[in-house]
């Protein structure tokens, strides 16, 4: 027999019994019962919960300064919001991330939790809303339609430093390997076929460079597109039910307590319905995911074999690779990153469709937009940290094998092409394929170049960077 006790709360639709220990109220409970979809509650995304609390705190501060909230109510709301931001009560944010109602359930979850924490601060019982009300006081001068999208933006801004840090560390890890492998000559490949020589260091340095591009773009893009907020627009952007001075005060306070340079949207009606910022942000996350996946494809190819593949590098062994094939070790870390990337790409498509699905003055699909944006960011952070710690930092090179592949590659003929001519180079390449002989062996047999000329041409530094001079060519 359960010892759980309940309090009765009422709303537009009637009454429900809410567990006494719950800080959420009747509207949150209805949403919990209605939306059993992803199994991922708001509490899964701590920065989003904190973003909601910060928005409510800023709104209360503005209303208090304008005289609409008493000192007693404001102090209790402020304390409640501070406790949430400090990590308390996150388990009370129980609504599913995907929900109908354009985020109203999320907004009311925040309103009710903050109200009940504040009531206890004031010496009252949870549910005694006559002393401090979720709608009348916590939600004063707000609508879901301005508080919720603002909280999503704030939530992402609170966590994006972690995204930058993970990306930066991974970039640095690749750059370090680029330096470590700078002396390792290998064969470059195009279309999975031998191309021309390069160094393994150049290959890893290119990985670092491509991640640097995304690092810099995300660093500048996120503040640019997320710092313009529609708080103060209330229902559709007209600012109904808000004091004329409320918006400026609320945004100013929110900027202060978040540490981000938040500014009011220039057109609140446009800002209430447009999700273009999230489309751009999601596209940037997708771009980073695509690049990571391509890099992981390369790592799997370069480490393939080990006896019958390319086998130029060794990935750290992380777990046995087969239940039936003894000794097999799989590239599990890059494989997992590939799958994260595919998820982020899928998230971007879902978000894109949600942004397009807005109608008239509101986009009711904002819960999906919040869910996919936050999910992609967290997945990328975890994947990049895993890739760096469990794979990249421990990669080693098979130096002699790389060198042998270059020396026996048909692609080596490209380096000789300017000196022996295209016709000779083509003939040598074909003959090498037909006979199994090496390119250098055939060039020596036909005395197309002297040993001194070959030595100069085949110097590593001459094969991996521009070096050709007119005086080198035979006329």
């Amino acid at each position: 027999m359960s010892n759980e006790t309940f309090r009765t709360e009422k709303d537009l639709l009637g009454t429900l019994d809410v567990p006494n220990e719950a800080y959420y109220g009747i509207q949150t409970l209805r949403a919990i019962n209605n939306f059993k979809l992803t199994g991922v509650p708001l509490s899964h995304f701590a920065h989003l919960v904190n973003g909601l609390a910060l928005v409510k705190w800023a709104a209360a501060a503005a209303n208090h300064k304008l005289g609409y909230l008493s000192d007693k109510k404001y102090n209790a709301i402020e304390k409640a919001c501070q406790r949430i931001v400090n990590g308390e009560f996150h388990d009370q944010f129980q609504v599913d991330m995907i929900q109908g109602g354009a985020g109203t359930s999320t907004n009311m979850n925040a309103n009710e939790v903050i109200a009940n924490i504040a009531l206890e601060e004031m010496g009252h019982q949870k549910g005694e809303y006559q002393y401090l009300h979720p709608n009348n006081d916590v939600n004063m001068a707000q609508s879901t339609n301005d508080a919720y999208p603002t909280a999503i933006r704030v939530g992402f801004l609170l966590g994006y430093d972690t995204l930058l840090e993970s990306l930066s560390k991974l970039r640095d890890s690749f750059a370090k390997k680029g330096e470590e492998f700078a002396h390792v000559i290998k064969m470059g490949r195009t279309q999975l076929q031998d191309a021309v020589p390069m160094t393994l260091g150049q290959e890893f340095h290119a990985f670092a460079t491509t991640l640097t591009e995304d690092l810099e773009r995300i660093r500048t893009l996120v503040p640019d597109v997320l710092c313009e907020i529609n708080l103060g627009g209330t229902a559709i952007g007209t600012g109904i039910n808000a004091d004329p001075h409320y918006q400026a005060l609320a945004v100013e306070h929110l900027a202060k307590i978040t540490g981000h340079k938040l500014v009011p949207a220039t057109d609140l009606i446009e800002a209430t319905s447009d999700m273009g910022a999230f489309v751009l942000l999601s596209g940037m996350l997708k771009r980073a995911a695509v690049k990571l996946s391509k890099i992981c494809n390369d790592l799997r190819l370069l480490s393939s074999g080990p006896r019958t593949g390319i086998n130029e590098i060794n990935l750290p062994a992380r777990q046995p690779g087969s239940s039936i094939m003894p000794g097999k070790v799989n590239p599990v870390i890059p494989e997992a990153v590939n799958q994260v990337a595919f998820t982020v790409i899928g998230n971007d498509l879902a978000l894109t469709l949600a942004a397009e699905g807005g109608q008239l003055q509101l986009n009711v699909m904002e819960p999906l937009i919040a869910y996919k944006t936050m999910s992609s960011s967290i997945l990328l952070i975890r994947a990049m940290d895993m890739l760096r710690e469990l794979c990249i930092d421990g990669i080693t090179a098979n130096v002699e094998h790389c060198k042998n592949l270059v020396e026996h590659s048909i692609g080596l003929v490209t380096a000789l092409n300017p000196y022996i001519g295209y016709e000779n180079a083509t003939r040598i390449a074909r003959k090498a394929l037909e006979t199994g002989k090496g390119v250098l062996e055939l060039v020596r047999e036909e005395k197309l170049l002297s040993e001194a000329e070959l030595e100069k041409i085949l110097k590593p530094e001459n094969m991996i960077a521009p070096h050709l001079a007119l005086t080198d060519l035979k006329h």
Side-chain angles (χ1 to χ4, degrees):
M1 186 174 179
S2 175
N3 293 323
E4 190 173 21
T5 59
F6 297 86
R7 64 180 186 269
T8 301
E9 293 193 14
K10 64 179 181 179
D11 63 5
L12 171 69
L13 302 183
T15 62
L16 280 180
D17 290 333
V18 180
N20 262 333
E21 73 274 11
Y23 282 85
Y24 56 77
I26 183 172
Q27 293 198 46
T28 302
L29 183 58
R30 289 195 191 280
I32 292 171
N33 293 334
N34 285 337
F35 308 118
K36 298 178 180 179
L37 299 170
T38 66
V40 178
L42 301 174
S43 59
H44 184 75
F45 299 102
H47 291 308
L48 176 59
V49 172
N50 290 340
L52 288 161
L54 289 163
V55 168
K56 298 298 175 181
W57 179 3
N63 286 318
H64 174 247
K65 191 168 186 177
L66 292 168
Y68 296 101
L69 270 181
S70 67
D71 290 347
K72 187 175 183 180
K73 286 185 175 181
Y74 171 65
N75 290 336
I77 292 173
E78 180 185 47
K79 180 64 175 177
C81 292
Q82 288 174 337
R83 292 180 69 184
I84 291 171
V85 172
N86 289 334
E88 296 183 65
F89 304 105
H90 279 219
D91 63 330
Q92 298 298 305
F93 289 78
Q94 286 298 309
V95 177
D96 198 282
M97 284 298 295
I98 295 183
Q99 56 194 257
T104 296
S105 298
T106 295
N107 189 40
M108 285 309 303
N109 197 162
N111 289 334
E112 290 174 343
V113 170
I114 291 168
N116 283 310
I117 299 170
L119 283 169
E120 289 187 342
E121 291 286 339
M122 296 167 70
H124 302 294
Q125 298 296 312
K126 292 190 286 288
E128 292 185 336
Y129 298 136
Q130 66 269 32
Y131 299 108
L132 190 147
H133 198 277
N135 295 79
N136 297 337
D137 298 312
V138 181
N139 197 64
M140 182 184 291
Q142 302 152 65
S143 163
T144 294
N145 304 343
D146 66 336
Y148 181 49
T150 298
I152 299 170
R153 285 167 165 79
V154 169
F156 196 91
L157 287 168
L158 293 176
Y160 108 104
D161 281 348
T162 307
L163 178 66
L164 292 178
E165 182 181 8
S166 294
L167 185 50
S168 179
K169 286 182 176 179
L170 181 59
R171 183 271 314 272
D172 292 346
S173 181
F174 277 115
K176 185 177 179 181
K177 286 296 172 182
E179 295 174 6
E180 181 182 337
F181 299 148
H183 67 290
V184 182
I185 295 292
K186 58 158 286 177
M187 182 56 65
R189 299 173 180 86
T190 59
Q191 295 157 284
L192 297 180
Q193 306 298 306
D194 295 354
V196 296
M198 65 184 302
T199 68
L200 190 61
Q202 287 175 318
E203 194 162 27
F204 274 76
H205 185 267
F207 294 153
T209 300
T210 198
L211 295 181
T212 299
E213 292 173 352
D214 283 13
L215 177 64
E216 296 307 318
R217 281 176 172 82
I218 292 173
R219 194 191 306 277
T220 56
L221 172 73
V222 171
D224 184 50
V225 301
L226 294 187
C227 282
E228 185 179 272
I229 59 176
N230 72 324
L231 188 63
T234 65
I236 66 169
T238 61
I240 191 172
N241 291 352
D243 186 284
H245 302 290
Y246 163 79
Q247 184 199 27
L249 291 173
V251 174
E252 180 184 0
H253 192 80
L254 187 58
K256 179 180 178 182
I257 60 179
T258 62
H260 290 278
K261 296 178 181 179
L262 304 171
V263 296
T266 54
D267 186 329
L268 288 173
I269 291 177
E270 183 273 342
T272 302
S273 63
D274 177 58
M275 296 292 111
F278 294 106
V279 174
L280 192 59
L281 172 60
S282 179
M284 196 64 236
L285 296 177
K286 179 182 73 172
R287 173 177 144 147
V290 168
K291 289 187 176 188
L292 283 172
S293 191
K294 189 273 179 187
I295 290 171
C296 286
N297 291 341
D298 289 353
L299 295 176
R300 292 194 291 125
L301 283 170
L302 293 174
S303 64
S304 62
R307 296 291 177 85
T308 60
I310 295 176
N311 193 31
E312 291 180 346
I313 62 172
N314 306 299
L315 306 185
R318 289 299 167 192
Q319 61 191 61
S322 174
S323 60
I324 191 173
M325 293 173 279
K328 190 170 188 287
V329 179
N330 297 326
V332 294
I333 303 303
E335 288 171 350
V337 176
N338 284 134
Q339 293 170 76
V340 166
F342 304 157
T343 302
V344 172
I345 293 166
N347 286 348
D348 178 68
L349 176 57
L351 183 149
T352 301
L353 293 172
E356 186 276 337
Q359 297 166 323
L360 304 177
Q361 278 68 59
L362 182 64
N363 189 311
V364 301
M365 313 299 177
E366 286 180 36
L368 184 63
I369 290 172
Y371 181 36
K372 295 305 182 182
T373 302
M374 300 286 179
S375 295
S376 290
S377 178
I378 287 176
L379 272 173
L380 281 174
I381 289 168
R382 291 173 179 171
M384 290 189 292
D385 290 347
M386 176 189 69
L387 181 62
R388 172 176 53 84
E389 295 168 4
L390 301 184
C391 184
I392 307 307
D393 286 347
I395 289 176
T396 57
N398 295 321
V399 181
E400 287 303 314
H401 181 62
C402 289
K403 181 181 177 182
N404 289 335
L405 288 178
V406 172
E407 291 178 352
H408 293 88
S409 170
I410 304 299
L412 191 60
V413 77
T414 303
L416 306 178
N417 182 37
Y419 306 93
I420 65 176
Y422 190 83
E423 296 298 330
N424 279 333
T426 302
R427 181 175 53 77
I428 291 293
R430 185 173 63 251
K431 192 172 181 180
L433 284 171
E434 292 171 350
T435 64
K437 292 184 177 181
V439 168
L440 297 184
E441 182 182 357
L442 291 171
V443 169
R444 288 186 176 105
E445 281 183 5
E446 298 190 15
K447 297 182 171 50
L448 295 174
L449 292 168
S450 69
E451 285 300 320
E453 288 172 321
L454 278 174
E455 183 180 355
K456 179 181 179 182
I457 295 167
L458 297 178
K459 281 184 178 179
E461 61 268 26
N462 288 342
M463 289 195 293
I464 63 171
H467 73 282
L468 193 64
L470 187 61
T471 53
D472 292 331
L473 302 183
K474 293 183 177 181
H475 298 283

